[in-house]
Amino acid sequence: MSEILEIVKNQSPGEPEFHQAVEEVVESVKPVLDKHPKYRNHKILERMVEPERLISFRVAWLDDNQEIQVNRGYRVQMNSALGPYKGGIRFHPSVYGGVLKFLAFEQTFKNALTGLPMGGGKGGSDFNPKGRSDTEVMRFCQSFMAELARHIGNRTDIPAGDIGVGGREIGFMFGAQKKISNQFAGVLTGKGVGWGGSMMRTEATGYGLVYFAQNMLAVKKNSLKDKVCIVSGSGNVAQHAVEKIIDLGGKPITISDSSGFIHDEQGIDADKLSFIKDLKNNRRGRIKEYADKYSSASYTETKNGDTENGLWHIKADCAFPCATQNELGKKDAEKLVGNGIKLIGEGANMPLTAEAAEIVIKSGILYSPGKASNAGGVATSGIEMMQNYMGSYWSAKEVDERLKKIMSEIHQNCLDAAEAYGFKDNYVAGANIAGFIKVADAMIAQGVV
Ligand code: NDP
C-alpha cells in the first residue's frame, strides 16, 4: 500500500494536504483490496489518485483603481465514474493545486456516498475576496468564468460554492457563464432561489452535519438536547450548523473566524445568530464585533489558524469544526478527549490533522469525517440539479425531508461498511470504504479510460 503513497509523493511533491487525504483512504481500504484482488488488478487506487483533468489558468482583472491584478484559477476534474464532475469553487489566498486535489479527491468519495449520480471535482483561485468591493468581486468572477466556461456544462461539470464563494460570487459567475454559453442551463449550483436555486441549498451543509450528529447520538440512545456545542468558523456551514443545533435543543457556545473566536457561556440563540449572519454575510465584518455587542461573550484572538489554547480547549459535549482543513491539531484533540467530549462532527473538509484524527479514533468517541457528515451540501446541489433538469421547484419541506433521508442513509452505509471490513463503529473507515467500492466498481465496468 505504501507504493501508492510513494507514487503520489513522487508525482505530486509539495502537496501535503493531498498526501494526507490519500493516506487516510489508502489505510481504510486495505482490507477491501486484500479481500477483492480485482481492485488491485485494475489499478483502481493508482487511477483514482490521478485527476482525469487538471486545468490551471490566468485570471487578469481590473481593480477599482484601474490597476491590473493577476490571479491563478484552477479546476480539478478528478473522477467522472459516477456522473459529471461536481464540487465547489474556493476563493482564498491559500488555494493552490495541492489543496484543490485533496478537496477533489475527498469530493469523489463524498459524492459517491450521497447515492446521487455525481463525479468529483473542485476548483478555485488564490484570489482573496476579503476587503474587495462588490464590483471588484464581479470583475474577478467574470474573468475567472471567461476561461472556466469552456470546461464546464450541466452534463460535464457543475461547480458550486465553498470558502469565499457564497451567493454573491455564484450569482456573478452564473451570469457570466449564461452570457458566454447563451443558455440558462443550471451549470452552477447554489444559485439564488427564484433563478434556478433550490430551497434549502444554503442551509444544507450545516443542517446535514447536525442531522448526521443526531443519527450518531441516536445509536447511543442519546440526542442533541441540552448538549453544549463548540463550533468553529462563522461562514455558511458554521452558521447553519448553529441554527440546527439551536433548533434541536442544543446550546452552541462558540463561533470563530480567521482572526479569533468568541465564547458565549449563555449560548448563541436565534437573535444572536441573526446578528452573526448580518455581520458575516452583509457587512463582511470580524467576529470580534459579537463580543463588543454581547457582554455574555469573550473574544480570543488566534494567529493564522493556530488553535492552541483556543476554542477546542473549552469543555463541551459536542465539537463541530466548520472552518477549514487542519484547523484542529494533536494538542486540541488531546484536550477535547481529556475534557470528555462525546462527539466530533466534521463540517469542514479534513479539519483534523492526521495526528488529531488518530487520537480521536483511538479514544472511541463518536467521530464523523467531513466526507460523510458535510455531504448534505453536495447532496442538495444534486437535488438542485434534478430540479433544473426537470424545470421545476420543490418546497423547502420536501428538500429538507430528502436531505434528512440522505444523511441517515449515509450514516447507515458508513456503519455497515465499517463493520463488514473489521472497523466496527469507525465512521472514517466506513465512509472511505463505502465511497471507494462504489466508484471502483463503476471504474471497472467502464474499462480502462
Ligand atoms: P465560508 O467562506 O462561508 O466560511 C469559512 C469560515 O472559516 C469563515 O468564518 C472563515 O473566517 C473561516 N476560515 C477560513 N479559512 C480559515 C483559516 N485558515 N483559519 C481560520 N478560519 C478560517 O466557507 P464555508 O462555510 O462554505 O466552508 C467551510 C468549510 O466547509 C470548508 O472546509 C469547506 O470546504 C467545507 N464545506 C463547505 C460546503 C458548503 O456547502 N459551503 C460543503 C461541504 C464542505 P474569515 O471570515 O476570517 O475568512
Side-chain angles (χ1 to χ4, degrees):
M1 298 304 286
S2 58
E3 310 90 75
I4 303 287
L5 271 178
E6 280 313 302
I7 293 172
V8 170
K9 285 181 179 169
N10 285 335
Q11 289 184 343
S12 307
E15 298 182 356
E17 300 86 356
F18 183 46
H19 305 165
Q20 184 182 338
V22 171
E23 185 161 10
E24 185 202 284
V25 169
V26 165
E27 275 174 21
S28 298
V29 302
K30 188 172 179 305
V32 184
L33 272 59
D34 289 344
K35 191 168 171 192
H36 306 285
K38 63 178 175 179
Y39 297 128
R40 280 207 178 90
N41 296 342
H42 284 270
K43 294 230 173 8
I44 292 297
L45 272 176
E46 287 85 339
R47 288 197 266 158
M48 275 185 181
V49 297
E50 190 60 30
E52 289 179 13
R53 193 175 295 112
L54 201 159
I55 303 145
S56 152
F57 52 96
R58 181 179 68 203
V59 186
W61 55 284
L62 278 180
D63 69 15
D64 285 345
N65 297 321
Q66 304 306 311
E67 289 276 335
I68 295 169
Q69 300 288 336
V70 182
N71 288 97
R72 187 171 290 173
Y74 303 88
R75 187 72 185 164
V76 181
Q77 297 180 330
M78 197 78 194
N79 193 302
S80 61
L82 297 183
Y85 309 107
K86 179 92 197 89
I89 290 181
R90 177 177 291 191
F91 292 163
H92 194 271
S94 63
V95 164
Y96 75 106
V99 160
L100 295 177
K101 276 163 70 180
F102 121 63
L103 289 165
F105 184 71
E106 293 268 304
Q107 192 81 44
T108 302
F109 298 91
K110 182 188 310 190
N111 293 3
L113 288 172
T114 67
L116 300 175
M118 300 183 291
K122 200 86 189 187
S125 173
D126 57 359
F127 170 69
N128 187 358
K130 243 181 244 159
R132 291 293 181 187
S133 69
D134 287 351
T135 49
E136 287 178 318
V137 171
M138 182 177 74
R139 284 193 295 273
F140 173 81
C141 287
Q142 289 171 341
S143 181
F144 181 81
M145 190 50 80
E147 174 61 31
L148 188 67
R150 72 187 83 225
H151 306 288
I152 61 177
N154 71 344
R155 301 283 179 178
T156 312
D157 184 351
I158 305 97
D162 191 74
I163 290 179
V165 177
R168 174 183 64 170
E169 292 76 14
I170 292 288
F172 292 149
M173 285 192 275
F174 180 76
Q177 193 279 334
K178 176 167 63 83
K179 180 157 184 168
I180 294 164
S181 66
N182 196 29
Q183 278 198 329
F184 195 113
V187 180
L188 289 137
T189 56
K191 298 184 289 299
V193 172
W195 49 275
S198 174
M199 301 293 285
M200 302 291 298
R201 173 60 189 92
T202 312
E203 294 85 349
T205 310
Y207 279 21
L209 165 66
V210 179
Y211 292 150
F212 197 96
Q214 215 184 4
N215 280 305
M216 290 199 289
L217 287 164
V219 173
K220 304 282 175 201
K221 310 245 176 305
N222 208 334
S223 80
L224 268 167
K225 181 118 185 58
D226 298 326
K227 296 287 180 301
V228 173
C229 301
I230 45 180
V231 180
S232 67
S234 51
N236 173 278
V237 181
Q239 288 172 16
H240 296 101
V242 165
E243 190 160 272
K244 193 42 83 180
I245 291 167
I246 299 171
D247 195 29
L248 295 177
K251 185 180 175 189
I253 57 164
T254 65
I255 201 137
S256 72
D257 63 18
S258 52
S259 310
F261 70 90
I262 60 98
H263 176 194
D264 186 339
E265 280 188 50
Q266 285 178 8
I268 300 169
D269 60 18
D271 285 345
K272 290 169 176 173
L273 179 60
S274 297
F275 172 81
I276 294 168
K277 284 186 178 178
D278 179 53
L279 172 71
K280 282 295 177 184
N281 307 345
N282 303 328
R283 294 191 284 123
R284 298 181 192 276
R286 309 308 298 158
I287 204 64
K288 181 179 182 304
E289 282 187 45
Y290 181 104
D292 297 340
K293 182 167 166 72
Y294 299 107
S295 57
S296 53
S298 61
Y299 174 73
T300 308
E301 201 174 286
T302 48
K303 270 191 241 123
N304 201 20
D306 175 15
T307 53
E308 191 51 21
N309 296 319
L311 72 88
W312 306 122
H313 297 209
I314 297 168
K315 206 165 161 32
D317 299 307
C318 305
F320 295 99
C322 297
T324 193
Q325 66 270 8
N326 292 329
E327 58 168 304
L328 197 158
K330 180 170 179 272
K331 286 192 178 147
D332 300 319
E334 284 166 353
K335 197 78 187 174
L336 282 169
V337 171
N339 275 344
I341 199 89
K342 295 181 178 65
L343 175 149
I344 300 177
E346 292 188 349
N349 286 309
M350 207 170 76
L352 270 65
T353 63
E355 284 174 315
E358 200 184 322
I359 291 165
V360 170
I361 290 170
K362 270 201 190 126
S363 78
I365 63 156
L366 295 170
Y367 167 45
S368 65
K371 62 169 77 72
S373 50
N374 72 26
V378 72
T380 309
S381 275
I383 292 171
E384 182 173 330
M385 286 160 63
M386 290 178 209
Q387 293 169 79
N388 291 166
Y389 291 146
M390 295 188 323
S392 71
Y393 289 117
W394 297 336
S395 68
K397 189 165 175 285
E398 185 164 1
V399 177
D400 196 33
E401 286 306 318
R402 282 176 185 255
L403 172 64
K404 271 188 205 153
K405 185 164 176 281
I406 290 173
M407 296 316 294
S408 146
E409 284 168 0
I410 297 175
H411 173 265
Q412 194 56 50
N413 288 342
C414 289
L415 282 184
D416 292 347
E419 181 151 15
Y421 287 94
F423 292 104
K424 193 168 182 322
D425 295 336
N426 180 336
Y427 288 90
V428 175
N432 288 333
I433 291 169
F436 172 84
I437 291 175
K438 226 169 159 212
V439 179
D441 287 346
M443 287 174 72
I444 291 174
Q446 291 168 26
V448 182
V449 288

